[in-house]
Structure formats: structure tokens, C-alpha cells
Amino acid sequence: MACFLAKRPASETVKQVRLREDGGCVDHELCMTRLLSRRALLSVAAAGIAAAACGSDTAAPGGPPLRERAAARGLVYGAAGDVELTTNQQLGTTFVREAGAFVPEVSLKWAALRPASDTFDFVASDALIAWAGARTILVRGHALAWHQALPNWFAGVANEQTAGGFLDAHIAAVAGRYSGRVGSWDVVNEPLDPFSDRDDGLREESPWLRLLGPAYIARAFVAAREADATAVLTLNEYGFENDPGAARKRADFLRLIGRLKDSGTPIQAAGLQAHLLQNNPRWAEFDATGYSKFLGELAAMGLQLFVTELDVNDTAFPQDARTRDAAVASVYRDYLGVALAEPAVKMVTTWGLSDRTSWIDRSYPRKDGAHARPLPLDAGYQRKAAWEAVATAFDRAPKR
Ligand code: G3I
């Protein structure tokens, strides 16, 4: 196999990667043609997969980085991040070393993009997507229709007559702008509520549901497909593991996807957020059998599965860092052992890479004053037990 050498931008650690001369993937099993466009594939291959296949100079304590451990099994590993990636060189370099995919945690949400009802502000999102593109990192877009992170002006102007137009125009502008650069979109985020009084389990507090009815979901997918012909369109949801109401949510999610598929809605993937222990600290209540069956049923509907926001809330664990890290790692190990056994799971994205910037630390400060440790790297960007658990889970995953 003939290879050529490619270099990263000078600001990054220079790393040699090898691709086949015709630009194809070095290992067709890693191509995952149904997940990634050819362009995105080449990007991921150039930056990580090829490094795994041809050897790399990135050896660090603990062995090859997560992106390579995932790629070796035909998986993609990614992480959430935001504008700090473009300004904090240590974070950026670490991110590029470990992650082959990236999802903006905040900058593609309505509240970030829409300062006023008739304007868009793409400054931050353009910078982030250019940053990822220059480093050949696959981008997931998040999120086009969500009941949260709406700008303040929205409630004042959105009504039953105008909401559909706002939704269509927003998706056309945002997904259209990044068409070809975002490999997958979370089109609708968190549409369900297991305590909903509705038979279909849809979230009653969502302004989209209230103003447009259940049809808003298919409408958003159709608009996304019109704006971007190739992105993998995803329905993203949380609380399928041991959350209160998880069994109902799994059932409602399957029924919702069944209805979308039956009506010809362009949906290709299911996003499993997997904010573990977020709403129930008792991991022993995780129904692994029910969860595996759920993943199998989604796969049987022809969907790719992405673990989209993985982290482990450590609020209930003891303060001692070593004890806490071991407990967090054990949950990662357990969960990924079950999730990755399903071959339709193609990508794992953690909700952040380093404990320095986790939403859990901001939103759920510990009573003992210690910082949360929910992610693969600690606040100093060092690998910890959670990293090892994720890496080992990739090593043990069946090859895609
Ligand atoms: O950007 C402002 C900044 O200028 C200001 O100084 C600061 C002061 O609080 O706030 C900053 O914005 C915050 C932003 O995070 C960045 O830190 C927003 O107030 C805050 O609402 C926002 O929270 C994000 C939240 O979604 C709402 O968008 C979290 O970081 C993000 O982790 C969280 O992500 C969600 C997923 O989208 C969906 N699934 C659940 C997940 C966790 O809640």
C-alpha cells in the first residue's frame, strides 16, 4: 500500500499520517460509508485513522489516543468543546490528539446564533467550524430544534402562525451555511418527557410542540435535508439508561422513530446522550438487558447509533479523587461494554474532554467544594482512570 505524508498546521504538534495515494481509507472497514461523507471520511482518516493504521508518533502515557483506539475498531471518538478550543493552545492540541470528532457545546444553538429575530451571528460558529476543518476533525452539529437555549426574543414573537416560519428559516440558514462541513446534525433534541401526560410521550413544555404540534419534528428533519443533502440527520435524546422513566422513554423513542420512518421522514441516526448518573446516582438500576434490546431495535429500524453526550456525574461519589475516579471509570466501563456490543453504534462523543470545562462542574457544584471529575482527562489535561476505561472499551469492542 503506497502512502504519502501529510502535516498538521504548524500550530499543532506536527504529526505524520499516511493515506492511500488515491485518497481512500487505508482500511475499508474504517470507512463507515453510511456514517460519513467521503469528504468527512478523508478528514478523519487523514488525522487519525491513518495514524492508527500506519503507525503514529503520538505515543503518550497510557498508549495511543482515544481517536486511534476507536478507529482501530471502526469507531469514531469525539468530544464536545467550544470557542476555548481556538484560544487555549494546550486544550486545542490535546483535543486534536485525542478526538476525531467535535461537537460545539453551545455555539450552534439558537441562543448563540440569534441575537435578534431577524439576524444571525455566525462569528463563533464560523471560527469553530473553520478550526475543526483545518485540523481535519469531523463536526457534529447541535442542535436545530430544542426547547432550551432559545433566545429571549423568541417567546415574544413566536406564535402558532410564526413559529413554523422561524423554524424553517433557521434551519435553512444554519444547516445550509455549514452544508458539507457538518457531517451530522442533531436535528431535534430532547423531544420526549417520560412524565408527559400525552400518550406519545412528547415534551409538553416545548414551545415547538405547543405552537406547531407533533408535526414540528418531521418538519425540522425535512428542512434539514433540504438545507444539507448529505449530513446524517439525528434525533437526540437522554435518559435511556437508569433515569426515572427510562423504560417509558425507550418505548416512546422507538414509537416516535417508527412514526417518522413510516411517514418517510429523512432520519438516519439516533443520538443517545448518555449523561450517566445525571438523574439517578444508583448505577445498579441500569437495565443492561433492556438497553441492549433497545439498541438492537433501533438498529433494526436501519438507524446508525451515536453516543452523543457521554459523561458520568460524580456528585454522589466520595471526595477522594482516586476513589471517585475509580467509581466514574467503572460506570464508563460498564456502559460502554453494553453500548459498544451493538454494532450499529458507530460513534462515541463525550460531553467535553477535560474536567476543566465540564457543564457538571458549572451546573451541579459539589457540596464539599471539590471539582467534578466526569470526563476522560483531568483539569490538567492528564489521562485518568476514565480515559483508561474508555480506551479499553474501544479495544474490546467488536470491529465495525
Ligand atoms: O456565554 C456566556 C458567557 O458569556 C457568560 O459569561 C456565562 C455566565 O454564566 O454564561 C455563558 O453562557 C452559558 C454557556 O453554557 C457557556 O458556559 C449559558 O449561560 C449556559 O446556559 C450554557 O449552558 C449549556 C447548556 O447546554 C445550555 O445551552 C451547557 O454549557 C451545555 O453543556 C448544555 O448542554 C446540554 C446539551 O445541549 C443537551 N443535552 C444536555 C446538555 C447538558 O445540559
Side-chain angles (χ1 to χ4, degrees):
M1 180 180 65
C3 291
F4 70 86
L5 300 179
K7 285 189 177 179
R8 298 251 178 128
S11 59
E12 302 295 339
T13 307
V14 175
K15 172 175 162 184
Q16 296 176 336
V17 296
R18 294 184 291 180
L19 286 177
R20 226 169 52 200
E21 277 172 340
D22 65 4
C25 283
V26 289
D27 178 344
H28 77 279
E29 289 189 22
L30 301 180
C31 284
M32 301 165 56
T33 44
R34 286 170 306 153
L35 163 63
L36 305 170
S37 68
R38 179 170 176 76
R39 179 183 172 144
L41 266 175
L42 291 177
S43 300
V44 173
I49 293 176
C54 302
S56 105
D57 59 356
T58 55
L66 294 178
R67 63 186 300 157
E68 295 184 11
R69 306 285 274 266
R73 316 310 292 167
L75 286 155
V76 175
Y77 169 71
D82 222 280
V83 282
E84 195 188 354
L85 283 169
T86 66
T87 57
N88 176 337
Q89 199 178 347
Q90 191 185 4
L91 172 62
T93 303
T94 307
F95 195 98
V96 173
R97 186 188 72 217
E98 294 286 353
F102 158 67
V103 53
E105 188 172 344
V106 170
S107 288
L108 283 175
K109 292 173 179 170
W110 278 68
L113 291 171
R114 306 298 304 273
S117 61
D118 55 354
T119 55
F120 289 81
D121 178 353
F122 290 113
V123 172
S125 54
D126 280 358
L128 271 174
I129 286 174
W131 179 88
R135 283 150 187 82
T136 57
I137 293 175
L138 177 69
V139 179
R140 292 200 75 250
H142 172 87
L144 296 171
W146 188 28
H147 63 284
Q148 288 186 32
L150 287 165
N152 291 335
W153 54 259
F154 185 81
V157 298
N159 57 42
E160 289 174 5
Q161 283 69 47
T162 61
F166 276 120
L167 184 65
D168 295 343
H170 180 85
I171 293 175
V174 177
R177 184 178 188 89
Y178 298 121
S179 175
R181 288 187 284 165
V182 167
S184 167
W185 270 106
D186 287 334
V187 178
V188 175
N189 191 37
E190 304 174 1
L192 296 172
D193 172 5
F195 304 107
S196 169
D197 286 334
R198 297 173 56 95
D199 289 344
D200 58 13
L202 289 178
R203 181 182 292 279
E204 291 158 298
E205 87 215 52
S206 166
W208 301 115
L209 182 75
R210 196 165 31 78
L211 299 174
L212 298 173
Y216 88 87
I217 297 174
R219 181 175 185 154
F221 275 90
V222 169
R225 178 51 75 236
E226 281 171 5
D228 184 334
T230 57
V232 177
L233 304 184
T234 307
L235 184 68
N236 197 41
E237 186 55 270
Y238 70 91
F240 295 130
E241 299 81 22
N242 70 333
D243 276 31
R248 177 180 176 193
K249 211 177 221 187
R250 293 197 294 259
D252 288 341
F253 193 68
L254 286 165
R255 288 192 299 137
L256 172 57
I257 289 177
R259 289 195 298 277
L260 293 171
K261 299 281 284 183
D262 287 349
S263 62
T265 304
I267 171 171
Q268 288 88 43
L272 317 158
Q273 290 190 10
H275 288 293
L276 305 179
L277 305 188
Q278 182 58 38
N279 296 311
N280 175 7
R282 291 174 295 280
W283 184 241
E285 292 174 11
F286 174 48
D287 170 15
T289 306
Y291 194 77
S292 297
K293 182 166 172 280
F294 170 62
L295 299 189
E297 286 169 335
L298 289 170
M301 295 168 110
L303 297 178
Q304 299 176 67
L305 309 184
F306 303 149
V307 176
T308 51
E309 302 186 16
L310 179 61
D311 55 18
V312 178
N313 188 312
D314 63 349
T315 314
F317 292 153
Q319 181 176 11
D320 174 68
R322 188 183 282 259
T323 309
R324 197 147 41 110
D325 287 355
V328 166
S330 161
V331 175
Y332 270 109
R333 200 174 299 116
D334 235 38
Y335 172 74
L336 286 174
V338 174
L340 295 179
E342 169 51 60
V345 174
K346 306 293 188 189
M347 183 187 294
V348 174
T349 305
T350 50
W351 204 238
L353 179 61
S354 150
D355 295 339
R356 214 179 74 75
T357 50
S358 169
W359 73 289
I360 293 173
D361 213 20
R362 297 191 296 271
S363 302
Y364 298 88
R366 289 175 62 93
K367 290 194 179 71
D368 59 22
H371 287 291
R373 302 177 67 86
L375 290 166
L377 304 184
D378 69 14
Y381 307 113
Q382 299 303 304
R383 295 168 172 180
K384 57 192 177 67
W387 182 94
E388 197 70 52
V390 177
T392 306
F394 288 149
D395 293 346
R396 292 181 180 157
K399 215 168 179 194
R400 272 63 181 156

